[in-house]
Amino acid sequence: MMPTDVAAAGPLTLRTWRPEDATGLAEAIAASRTHLAPWMGFANAPARTPAEHAARFGEWEQDRRAAGDGIYGIFLDGAPVGSCGLHRRLGPGALEIGYWVHVGYLRRGIASTAAALLTDTAFGLEGITVVEIHHDAANLASAAIPRRLGFSRVGELTGPRTAPGERGLEWQWRMTREQWPERRPADLRVRPDAGSG
Ligand SMILES: CC(C)(COP(=O)(O)OP(=O)(O)OC[C@H]1O[C@@H](n2cnc3c(N)ncnc32)[C@H](O)[C@@H]1OP(=O)(O)O)[C@@H](O)C(=O)NCCC(=O)NCCS
């Protein structure tokens, strides 16, 4: 089973979503809608209310407890700044990482640090030997994350476009359990906001 808490990195915490996070998540998505819309299907659907988010947290928790996916809020000094997950959709022995970051917190190392923490977590689970990151070929910001973490690009798949910025060509990046200790960047950290003084 996936854990509820992923190891922290400085001010960054990854943990499963709780009912009290629902308003913060709704606000983060509302603020980020234009930034997310090209790439994330949910950002093009009607906004969920906090109560609807809280209900989904319950469904995610049930799924996690049933040996399903792990969906984690990304918190910076306790405030929600994105979401990420470890997904079982690749089949036995492999997990796929997904992520998005609040528009107000970009280019500070949040997605790359979160993805590294998820990779650590994945390889801490019995039987997981492969971690992958998939993204649309047009999503260059997303491509930078597996590249930064030392994943290898192993292929591409055609598929349906699920958001308007996509080309419908999915790039696949892979890390193996053996590669990760030598490839994991030593200098990952969340940088302070350049404008925060
Ligand atoms: C992709 C995304 C998660 C990146 O989040 P982030 O926290 O800004 O990423 P990081 O700060 O960890 O970036 C790490 C490196 O990636 C590269 N990078 C990140 N965003 C980039 C961009 N917009 N353009 C070019 N390179 C980018 C940079 O090399 C960056 O390092 P640097 O800032 O030191 O140069 C974020 O832009 C996002 O939420 N996008 C919309 C949702 C999405 O596409 N999710 C993925 C779907 S597959």
Side-chain angles (χ1 to χ4, degrees):
M1 193 194 301
M2 309 273 184
T4 54
D5 293 87
V6 170
L12 203 71
T13 311
L14 271 56
R15 61 158 173 79
T16 48
W17 291 99
R18 299 174 187 156
E20 61 269 30
D21 303 320
T23 300
L25 175 59
E27 289 172 358
I29 293 172
S32 304
R33 190 160 278 270
T34 307
H35 149 71
L36 298 175
W39 315 114
M40 313 293 293
F42 70 80
N44 299 286
R48 290 191 172 89
T49 63
E52 288 168 336
H53 282 300
R56 288 187 88 222
F57 299 163
E59 291 165 13
W60 288 341
E61 179 59 11
Q62 276 186 5
D63 185 43
R64 188 190 67 79
R65 286 170 185 252
D69 295 352
I71 311 295
Y72 301 99
I74 307 175
F75 298 88
L76 186 65
D77 295 321
V81 295
S83 190
C84 60
L86 284 170
H87 302 271
R88 295 198 186 267
R89 53 195 169 221
L90 300 176
L95 292 174
E96 182 183 337
I97 291 177
Y99 41 72
W100 64 263
V101 170
H102 184 306
V103 70
Y105 296 85
L106 299 174
R107 301 303 289 262
R108 292 176 56 182
I110 290 174
S112 42
T113 303
L117 294 174
L118 290 179
T119 306
D120 293 340
T121 299
F123 288 135
L125 296 169
E126 204 179 317
I128 299 300
T129 56
V130 165
V131 173
E132 293 191 359
I133 294 176
H134 296 190
H135 61 83
D136 191 83
N139 193 345
L140 299 180
S142 189
I145 306 305
R147 187 177 291 120
R148 167 97 172 86
L149 297 182
F151 283 55
S152 304
R153 218 184 114 196
V154 293
E156 54 188 36
L157 303 165
T158 48
R161 291 169 70 238
T162 57
E166 293 183 347
R167 281 169 52 192
L169 190 62
E170 184 176 279
W171 284 10
Q172 302 168 271
W173 298 76
R174 184 174 296 156
M175 179 65 66
T176 67
R177 180 187 280 266
E178 290 72 31
Q179 291 165 339
W180 183 233
E182 59 199 45
R183 294 194 184 183
R184 190 186 196 284
D187 60 345
L188 279 175
R189 68 185 187 96
V190 176
R191 297 184 292 274
D193 180 6
S196 69

